[in-house]
Amino acid sequence: MSERLLAKLRERFGASVLETHSHLGDDTAVVDPARWKEICAFLRDDPACDMQMLVDLCGADYPDRTPRLEVVLHLYSIARRHRLRLKARVGDEDAEGAEIDSVVDLWQGANWFERETYDMFGVKFRGHPDLRRILMYPEFEGHPLLKTYPANKTQPLVAYRTEEEAGVPLEKLAPFGDDEGMSFGRKNGDATGDATNGEA
Amino acid sequence: MEPVDLDLEESALELPAEPMHLNLGPAHPAMHGTVRIVLELSGETIEKADVQIGYLHRGFEKMCERGTWAQVFPYADRLNYVSPMLNNVGYALAVEKLCDIEVPDRCQWYRMALGELARISDHLTCTGAMAMELGAFTPFLWFVKAREMVWDILEEETGARLTHSFGRIGGMARPPTPAFKELVRGSTKEILSLLEQGEKMLLKNRIFIDRLENVGNISQADAISLSWTGPCLRSTGCSYDVRKAHPYLKYDEVDFTVPVGTRGDSLDRFLVRLDEIRQSVRILDQVCDRMADEGPVSADDPRVMLPEKDAVYTTIEGTIQHFKLVMEGAKVPAGECYSYTEGGNGELGFYLVSDGSGTPHRVRIRPPCFSITGGLSKIIMGRMLSDIVPTFGALNMIGGECDH
């Protein structure tokens, strides 16, 4: 059904559709980020596509690729009951400079999804009316879902107390020691990089 | 004594004209869930509303990238704590799609039964809590009593009342207990009668109706554009339900209807949920009739299933297989997939990316109430402050899921 969609996209946008595949029943098109909004508008407004609903918009990080980040968009047509996954690759090898057009004008629901993707991956959406963090607090530094963001890093809003400040012995000092709790080391990328990390 | 109002001019009697700022939440007794709404009020009318979420953010997606595929189940439970079973099954189906596994028929029926029980519990909680926030405490107690019966069944089946962690890749943790069908048949009658009592009490209540009717209206086009799904979308008249539009498990073999509303207001959302409970009971009846009493509930696939305990303790192959599955995790073929099911609040999607190892590369959840809460500021704009409570209640935001 929606393989025709992919054919239509290739026909209409030619070289801007970089890659297509249909795997496990999901049809995917990887497109040129420069034409992102144009392609989205076409998918929404073309009567044969009729993608009235933006189901999901999220990011994904592939640290060994350049461009490193992917913006993944899932579209659905309620009337025609077909789905399409649209992806665009953005950002350099350090996930810097990731920018793409916002699609809030096309689907109002994109507003929060784009804010979340910005919050988690640092992708900037050009033309978004209100691009600020949504899940993390404004003082937070970095983007937590990047593979290079250490999973065991803490950023407390109020600094942890030391024993000198408290004036009494504290039973436990935070952040907790490396030898405590679950090892976050199944895959590397953690801050400490000591013996608790590495192969589990 | 001089009269005080003698030399007062008209203008001095007017209230200050600049808008008032009010923080509603994040811990407000009339709002269930931790959400903050920063309001700009003119009198009691809302001029601007900024809905802020994230207070319950626990880094679900980050945590999933640290463990094995099977270790995601407990996290999935905690995303939606009123219908955890639906999340369990949704995640299991997503991984099975990636591994290309189909579970046995008996398991599919069983998953449907547990899922519908969870849906009943979700809708009872939502409608009951909403009534309670409007001052109707008795129906809330009746609904919670009905939910208690659902939880008793789930406890009997899974051993846990709330966080079941009962799903497995390729099956369920245990087969249904011998008394399962009897328990379900016995309680559904009782649940329906409690529901009817509560419904009678609320729908003949002028105050309740007045506070819901034509409050929080949304048009169908707006709801679709805002990515709404589930009962909130169906209240606008759009009949999109994943169980009907893209049947999974055995939903194409059972008979049920999708209740829809007409006005898209809070009352419609309330009524749609009540009707969905009745439809879930209908599905449960059919599942009880059709689920086999014997047969396997887990796929016979050594790639993902733990071997029998006998084999683990007596054979070297069993020990090795068990060790590898627990320590390294089931190896899921490299690739990506988006799998979607009908959760309590709408389309619950999982977008999974595997790099072929035992640890997920990316687990993305598409929580239905994230986009629904995203539309909250739009539907309360221009309304009165007191309308927020029923409107928010009818959206059924689940903090854990919305904030990931």
Side-chain angles (χ1 to χ4, degrees):
Chain A
M1 174 69 199
S2 32
E3 279 185 21
R4 272 193 308 192
L5 268 181
L6 293 179
K8 211 172 164 65
L9 264 187
R10 275 194 302 265
E11 182 194 316
R12 177 83 167 68
F13 292 99
S16 297
V17 180
L18 307 174
E19 221 178 273
T20 56
H21 64 80
S22 299
H23 181 52
L24 300 167
D26 295 358
D27 301 293
T28 309
V30 184
V31 300
D32 180 2
R35 301 188 73 184
W36 179 251
K37 194 171 173 183
E38 196 186 330
I39 293 173
C40 287
F42 169 76
L43 284 169
R44 187 190 70 158
D45 297 329
D46 185 80
C49 304
D50 197 25
M51 304 299 228
Q52 292 300 327
M53 187 185 273
L54 173 145
V55 176
D56 189 22
L57 189 148
C58 66
D61 182 17
Y62 298 92
D64 42 359
R65 285 193 204 159
T66 312
R68 186 174 143 173
L69 298 177
E70 255 179 16
V71 178
V72 186
L73 177 67
H74 287 95
L75 297 176
Y76 178 61
S77 163
I78 289 185
R80 297 179 173 270
R81 294 190 182 179
H82 55 210
R83 281 170 194 269
L84 182 71
R85 181 186 305 137
L86 206 60
K87 301 205 280 190
R89 302 198 169 124
V90 290
D92 59 9
E93 59 273 13
D94 300 318
E96 297 288 332
E99 274 196 28
I100 196 159
D101 282 329
S102 162
V103 291
V104 176
D105 311 344
L106 303 174
W107 297 281
Q108 298 169 44
N111 189 327
W112 276 27
F113 285 122
E114 287 181 351
R115 275 176 70 187
E116 189 195 353
T117 310
Y118 162 71
D119 192 358
M120 294 290 137
F121 292 93
V123 179
K124 290 202 174 60
F125 291 88
R126 281 186 295 257
H128 190 287
D130 182 25
L131 195 64
R132 54 196 164 108
R133 290 189 182 275
I134 184 163
L135 296 177
M136 309 306 292
Y137 40 92
E139 296 87 351
F140 191 86
E141 283 171 22
H143 299 283
L145 275 184
L146 292 178
K147 292 280 180 190
T148 38
Y149 187 90
N152 57 357
K153 188 176 169 185
T154 54
Q155 292 195 35
L157 277 173
V158 178
Y160 293 114
R161 273 198 316 178
T162 59
E163 291 205 343
E164 291 86 73
E165 280 168 1
V168 287
L170 294 175
E171 279 187 4
K172 185 168 249 184
L173 292 169
F176 311 119
D178 290 331
D179 53 338
E180 288 175 76
M182 163 181 176
S183 136
F184 280 106
R186 286 187 66 89
K187 281 193 176 169
N188 273 320
D190 286 349
T192 47
D194 61 11
T196 54
N197 295 320
E199 289 300 310
Chain B
M1 199 188 282
E2 301 280 320
V4 280
D5 55 346
L6 252 190
D7 49 353
L8 277 184
E9 285 177 25
E10 274 294 297
S11 63
L13 292 171
E14 280 176 18
L15 289 168
E18 63 266 27
M20 179 182 154
H21 292 268
L22 184 74
N23 280 316
L24 194 68
H28 192 274
M31 315 265 286
H32 52 253
T34 46
V35 61
R36 182 162 87 156
I37 309 179
V38 181
L39 296 162
E40 233 180 79
L41 297 170
S42 158
E44 276 202 59
T45 311
I46 299 159
E47 298 209 315
K48 232 169 147 184
D50 179 23
V51 181
Q52 299 179 353
I53 60 164
Y55 292 93
L56 223 53
H57 180 66
R58 293 157 299 177
F60 162 77
E61 293 172 359
K62 190 79 176 173
M63 285 194 289
C64 292
E65 292 171 12
R66 317 301 298 175
T68 63
W69 289 94
Q71 282 174 332
V72 174
F73 282 107
Y75 298 144
D77 272 344
R78 284 150 183 81
L79 281 173
N80 186 334
Y81 29 74
V82 290
S83 53
M85 197 57 89
L86 287 165
N87 286 40
N88 263 230
V89 170
Y91 175 71
L93 284 169
V95 183
E96 283 157 16
K97 183 175 176 183
L98 208 49
C99 295
D100 201 14
I101 296 172
E102 188 161 355
V103 295
D105 277 4
R106 187 170 180 222
C107 180
Q108 300 202 16
W109 288 112
Y110 190 39
R111 282 178 173 182
M112 262 171 78
L114 293 175
E116 292 309 318
L117 284 170
R119 193 182 317 279
I120 293 174
S121 130
D122 173 276
H123 289 355
L124 284 171
T125 314
C126 170
T127 47
M130 186 173 141
M132 180 186 67
E133 282 157 6
L134 298 179
F137 206 83
T138 311
F140 171 71
L141 293 178
W142 285 339
F143 285 0
V144 167
K145 188 179 167 195
R147 185 182 74 171
E148 202 62 21
M149 292 168 182
V150 174
W151 282 6
D152 281 345
I153 301 175
L154 290 173
E155 188 183 11
E156 193 70 22
E157 291 302 304
T158 68
R161 288 164 63 76
L162 195 60
T163 47
H164 315 294
S165 304
F166 198 59
R168 294 290 182 272
I169 304 167
M172 293 310 257
R174 274 186 299 279
T177 56
F180 177 60
K181 289 181 181 176
E182 210 175 301
L183 278 174
V184 171
R185 286 199 181 106
S187 358
T188 47
K189 277 195 204 86
E190 190 83 3
I191 290 169
L192 284 182
S193 91
L194 281 165
L195 188 72
E196 204 175 322
Q197 277 183 45
E199 196 180 8
K200 266 188 202 158
M201 181 106 157
L202 292 170
L203 293 182
K204 287 186 182 162
N205 186 321
R206 180 72 195 276
I207 300 171
F208 185 75
I209 299 286
D210 280 355
R211 288 203 66 185
L212 292 179
E213 201 170 13
N214 287 321
V215 169
N217 292 44
I218 192 162
S219 71
Q220 194 183 111
D222 272 342
I224 292 174
S225 169
L226 279 164
S227 317
W228 282 24
T229 47
C232 293
L233 174 65
R234 292 193 283 272
S235 74
T236 66
C238 175
S239 68
Y240 173 61
D241 183 321
V242 182
R243 293 174 295 170
K244 273 277 189 228
H246 305 274
Y248 53 99
L249 297 175
K250 296 282 184 191
Y251 280 111
D252 49 345
E253 293 182 25
V254 292
D255 195 18
F256 69 102
T257 54
V258 179
V260 290
T262 48
R263 297 176 302 261
D265 61 1
S266 299
L267 183 64
D268 267 351
R269 281 168 218 143
F270 179 81
L271 294 173
V272 163
R273 284 207 174 83
L274 289 185
D275 276 350
E276 279 190 18
I277 296 177
R278 299 208 167 83
Q279 295 302 325
S280 290
V281 169
R282 258 180 88 186
I283 297 175
L284 277 173
D285 283 345
Q286 296 172 57
V287 172
C288 286
D289 290 341
R290 301 200 43 190
M291 188 170 73
D293 286 322
E294 296 291 325
V297 287
S298 294
D300 183 19
D301 192 326
R303 286 182 303 162
V304 294
M305 291 309 300
L306 288 175
E308 293 292 322
K309 277 284 177 287
D310 289 356
V312 176
Y313 291 130
T314 54
T315 66
I316 188 71
E317 294 80 7
T319 313
I320 292 173
Q321 192 194 346
H322 189 277
F323 180 83
K324 298 272 272 186
L325 278 177
V326 172
M327 297 308 289
E328 291 173 4
K331 301 271 189 295
V332 171
E336 56 180 348
C337 83
Y338 178 75
S339 162
Y340 43 97
T341 54
E342 183 74 20
N345 275 325
E347 178 172 323
L348 172 76
F350 283 96
Y351 171 60
L352 306 178
V353 181
S354 170
D355 53 4
S357 72
T359 304
H361 183 80
R362 175 96 170 94
V363 176
R364 155 76 183 171
I365 179 178
R366 187 255 178 220
C369 50
F370 183 79
S371 44
I372 291 172
T373 315
L376 177 62
S377 64
K378 188 183 169 75
I379 57 175
I380 57 175
M381 206 79 82
R383 310 285 318 192
M384 303 288 274
L385 178 61
S386 59
D387 288 341
I388 293 181
V389 173
T391 311
F392 183 74
L395 293 186
N396 193 20
M397 174 209 173
I398 307 291
E401 203 173 69
C402 186
D403 299 354
H404 303 258

